Amino acid sequence: MAQRVGWQINIEFGATQLPRTNWIKKKPQIHFLVHGRVQGVFFRNFTQKEASKLGITGWCSNTDNEKVVGEAQGSPEAIKKFLEAINRGPPHARVVKLDKEDRDLIEGENQFEVRR
C-alpha cells in the first residue's frame, strides 16, 4: 500500500479514500495493564528486555493491586509481537488478562524503562 500525507491510496484495487480522522501513525502507542501473577516473577525486567529487542520505547511499573501497567510505542509489527510476549510473560508468571488501549504518540522517547 502506498501512502500520501492526508490520503490513503489503495494501489491493489485502484481506490482512493478520503483521510480518516484517526490517521495511521507510523509508531502507534498503547497503554497496557497486565493481570495475574505478574509481580515478584521478574515480569517488568522481562517486559523491558522484550521491548528493547523489538525497538519499543515506553515504560512499565507495578501497581498497588498486584498488576503491571505501562505504555509502549513502536512499529505496528513490533507492538503486536510485544503484546504477544507480555501476554505469555516470563516462565514463573501467569497472565490471566491483558488490557490494552490506544494512546497518543509521545515524541522524543528513546528507551523503555522500568519505573519503581
Side-chain angles (χ1 to χ4, degrees), residues 63-74:
T63 66
D64 291 337
N65 56 354
E66 299 183 9
K67 296 175 180 72
V68 171
V69 65
E71 293 185 356
Q73 62 187 34

Side-chain angles (χ1 to χ4, degrees), residues 17 19 24 28 34 37 42 47 57 59 73 78 85 99 101 115:
Q17 300 171 350
I24 300 169
V34 189
R37 194 166 119 227
F42 300 100
T47 301
T57 61
W59 59 270
Q73 62 187 34
D99 295 327
E101 176 182 300
R115 294 183 180 171

Side-chain angles (χ1 to χ4, degrees), residues 24-25 40 56 90 105 112:
I24 300 169
K25 299 174 186 173
I56 288 178
L105 184 69
F112 192 95

Side-chain angles (χ1 to χ4, degrees), residues 7-23:
W7 292 85
Q8 180 178 356
I9 300 171
N10 186 335
I11 294 191
E12 182 179 355
F13 298 107
T16 302
Q17 300 171 350
L18 290 174
R20 297 184 302 248
T21 55
N22 226 3
W23 185 243

Side-chain angles (χ1 to χ4, degrees), residues 36-39 41-43 46 86 88-95:
R37 194 166 119 227
V38 294
Q39 290 191 10
V41 292
F42 300 100
F43 195 92
F46 170 84
I86 65 172
R88 278 190 320 272
H92 297 291
R94 189 172 142 259
V95 176

